[in-house]
Amino acid sequence: DVKVTQSSRYLVKRTGEKVFLECVQDMDHENMFWYRQDPGLGLRLIYFSYDVKMKEKGDIPEGYSVSREKKERFSLILESASTNQTSMYLCASRGSGETQYFGPGTRLLVL
Amino acid sequence: QKEVEQNSGPLSVPEGAIASLNCTYSDRVSQSFFWYRQYSGKSPELIMSIYSNGDKEDGRFTAQLNKASQYVSLLIRDSQPSDSATYLCAVTRPGGTSYGKLTFGQGTILTVHP
């Protein structure tokens, strides 16, 4: 069974704080993804990584950065959190097949 | 025009009925199509994938793909209250550097009432 875990289920941060969201997968997958999910907008891709230290911007990368130092771990960083980054953040991983496996999500509230 | 479009619903059907969920996509060269189910407060889980024109059946679920019309649908037969969830349509972006990136629709909320 593929397992994708995220460091926190719920987070409350203040405007301007630097926020780290961590994602770990245990299936040796090359590809990892960060999405945010907002009502009425579906899932939108923020960044993805296709190998260690390799990354590409998704559709909405502004205000975010990522880090992939090890194959199993993909971190999303909010450099200076803003209220419009309040959202559900979902991490996913994919191996050689087409299926993306999602983590449980982190609900972030920025005050 | 959104790349992947779904009716947001909510779609309400009685128990035992057929639920029909629809999705259109704008990029004609899209190659792979997926339906994810997301229960409230949970993460999406894959329930169906389809790659070629026609129907694909898995238990009570049937995915239908029509590439000429750029249309993919999901039928749920004998709907159960446990099928109540948000259903997300996703399309793989074509191209060698896509690394399997998915574009999602906004999701359709399905409610099956007893």
Side-chain angles (χ1 to χ4, degrees):
Chain A
D1 251 8
V2 176
K3 193 165 184 185
V4 181
T5 57
Q6 294 183 229
S7 50
S8 306
R9 292 301 305 273
Y10 301 96
L11 270 181
V12 180
K13 296 291 181 181
R14 298 220 171 264
T15 303
E17 279 192 75
K18 192 168 187 175
V19 182
F20 293 86
L21 303 182
E22 298 261 302
C23 176
V24 178
Q25 50 94 4
D26 66 354
M27 283 303 293
D28 203 36
H29 285 172
E30 293 82 15
N31 306 290
M32 297 185 74
F33 307 82
W34 273 107
Y35 297 90
R36 64 177 283 177
Q37 185 174 29
D38 301 287
L41 296 177
L43 276 77
R44 293 179 291 167
L45 182 64
I46 304 171
Y47 265 98
F48 74 102
S49 169
Y50 50 92
D51 203 348
V52 176
K53 297 190 187 295
M54 307 303 286
K55 61 188 179 187
E56 276 198 26
K57 294 179 180 179
D59 298 317
I60 50 165
E62 297 79 18
Y64 303 95
S65 62
V66 290
S67 171
R68 191 150 180 219
E69 297 296 319
K70 293 185 177 181
K71 193 173 186 180
E72 68 271 18
R73 189 180 298 269
F74 191 33
S75 302
L76 179 70
I77 303 153
L78 286 66
E79 297 291 342
S80 177
S82 63
T83 54
N84 63 12
Q85 292 179 309
T86 290
S87 187
M88 169 69 90
Y89 289 88
L90 288 159
C91 174
S93 74
R94 184 183 73 87
S96 56
E98 293 270 13
T99 305
Q100 288 193 19
Y101 298 91
F102 285 86
T106 296
R107 191 168 293 279
L108 173 66
L109 173 62
V110 182
L111 300 173
Chain B
Q1 182 191 1
K2 290 183 182 176
E3 290 184 56
V4 179
E5 199 143 4
Q6 299 177 248
N7 287 330
S8 56
L11 174 66
S12 181
V13 301
E15 186 174 355
I18 296 175
S20 177
L21 303 159
N22 304 315
C23 174
T24 58
Y25 59 94
S26 61
D27 193 334
R28 188 168 286 278
V29 298
S30 296
Q31 296 171 323
S32 305
F33 306 87
F34 306 89
W35 284 99
Y36 282 79
R37 178 177 62 200
Q38 186 176 24
Y39 291 115
S40 181
K42 302 292 187 183
S43 56
E45 56 176 336
L46 181 69
I47 54 171
M48 289 288 285
S49 57
I50 187 165
Y51 306 102
S52 54
N53 280 328
D55 294 0
K56 179 181 177 182
E57 190 173 316
D58 184 0
R60 296 186 296 111
F61 297 95
T62 299
Q64 299 175 316
L65 175 60
N66 183 327
K67 289 188 177 181
S69 301
Q70 295 173 236
Y71 177 93
V72 58
S73 65
L74 179 71
L75 301 178
I76 306 174
R77 289 182 301 281
D78 188 24
S79 296
Q80 301 297 309
S82 58
D83 295 324
S84 298
T86 297
Y87 289 81
L88 300 164
C89 173
V91 174
T92 301
R93 304 178 197 192
T97 58
S98 68
Y99 299 104
K101 287 190 290 184
L102 294 176
T103 301
F104 284 85
Q106 70 270 42
T108 298
I109 299 170
L110 171 67
T111 301
V112 181
H113 53 87

